[in-house]
Amino acid sequence: MSIQIERSLVLVKPDGVQRALIGETIKRFEQRGLKIVALKMVKPSIDHINDHYPKDDKWIERLGEKGFTTFKELGIDPKEVMGTTDKKKAGEMVRKWLVDYMTEAPVVAMVIEGIHAIEMIRKIVGPTLPAKAPIGTIRGDYSVDSPAAANVQKRSVKNMIHASETPEEAENEIKHWFSEEEIHDWARPDHKVMF
Ligand code: IDP
Ligand code: MG
C-alpha cells in the first residue's frame, strides 16, 4: 500500500470563531501530527459560500435527509417542522440557512496535509450532527445542536467546523479558498521520528 499524502480544507465556522475556539481546534490537528500548510481569517461573501457548497440534486437531497433521519428517530412529523416531506425541498431550505450561518461572522480557513488526511481529519471532527458525534471529537466536545431545534428555528445546525469529505471535494474546496501562493511547502522535523 502506498503512503497517501492528502490535503483537506478545514474551516472553523462562525460559531467556533465567536466562541474563541480557534486555538483549541487547530491544536487538535497539530498534536495528531497533521501539518497546516495554509491559514487565514476570512469574512466570506454570500456568493463565496454559495459556491463552496455543492449545488447538485444528490447533495441537496442528502442534506434534506439528514434532518429527516433525526425527525424519524424522535417521532417528529417532518411535515410539521419543514412543511414538506420532500428531501430536495427540505435540502434547499437547509442549504439557504447554511449560507446565512456561514456568512454571519469570520471563519478561519486552513489547508491541512498528512497521510490519509481527509479521513483522519473527519475522524477528529466527528459526524455532522452533534448528537451523533462521539466525545473526543471536536463536534462531540464543543457542540450540542440538533436539526430538531435548528430546523424549527429555520437555521443551520451549528457544529463548529467544516472539513472536506472526499478527495474530489477537497480539491475543489482548496482551489476555492486558497491561491497556490498561499499554500506553503515546509517540513515538520518531528515527522522524521513519526514515520
Ligand atoms: P458535514 O459538514 O459534516 O460535511 P454536510 O452534510 O456536508 O455535513 O452538511 C453541511 C452542513 O449543513 C453541516 O455541517 C451542518 O452545519 C448543516 N446541516 C446538515 N444537516 C442539517 C439539517 O438537517 N438542518 C440544519 N442544518 C444542517
Ligand atoms: Mg460536507
Side-chain angles (χ1 to χ4, degrees), residues 10-22 25 41-45 49 52-53 97-109 142 156-162 177:
V10 171
L11 303 172
V12 182
K13 290 180 170 180
D15 51 329
V17 170
Q18 291 172 94
R19 291 171 62 199
L21 291 169
I22 301 167
T25 308
M41 182 177 272
V42 185
K43 175 76 168 55
S45 66
I49 294 299
H52 163 77
Y53 287 109
W97 302 334
L98 185 55
V99 173
D100 293 343
Y101 163 39
M102 294 298 287
T103 52
E104 72 188 22
V107 302
V108 169
Y142 295 109
S156 174
V157 165
K158 299 200 172 181
N159 56 4
M160 272 279 299
I161 186 158
H162 165 85
W177 286 85

Side-chain angles (χ1 to χ4, degrees), residues 59 62 122 162 165 169:
W59 193 86
R62 194 196 63 159
R122 285 295 295 197
H162 165 85
E165 290 183 71
E169 210 172 85

Side-chain angles (χ1 to χ4, degrees), residues 110-128:
M110 287 169 263
V111 178
I112 305 183
E113 186 182 281
I115 297 172
H116 303 299
I118 294 164
E119 189 187 343
M120 299 264 187
I121 289 168
R122 285 295 295 197
K123 240 178 169 173
I124 296 170
V125 165
T128 307

Side-chain angles (χ1 to χ4, degrees), residues 13 15-16 19 66-67 70-71 73-74 94 97-98 101 104 127-135 138-161:
K13 290 180 170 180
D15 51 329
R19 291 171 62 199
K66 278 196 182 176
T70 303
F71 299 149
E73 282 168 10
L74 297 174
V94 173
W97 302 334
L98 185 55
Y101 163 39
E104 72 188 22
T128 307
L129 302 179
K132 306 272 184 213
I135 297 304
I138 293 170
R139 285 169 168 170
D141 286 352
Y142 295 109
S143 61
V144 288
D145 204 9
S146 160
N151 295 9
V152 171
Q153 294 171 2
K154 309 221 173 299
R155 60 169 179 78
S156 174
V157 165
K158 299 200 172 181
N159 56 4
M160 272 279 299
I161 186 158

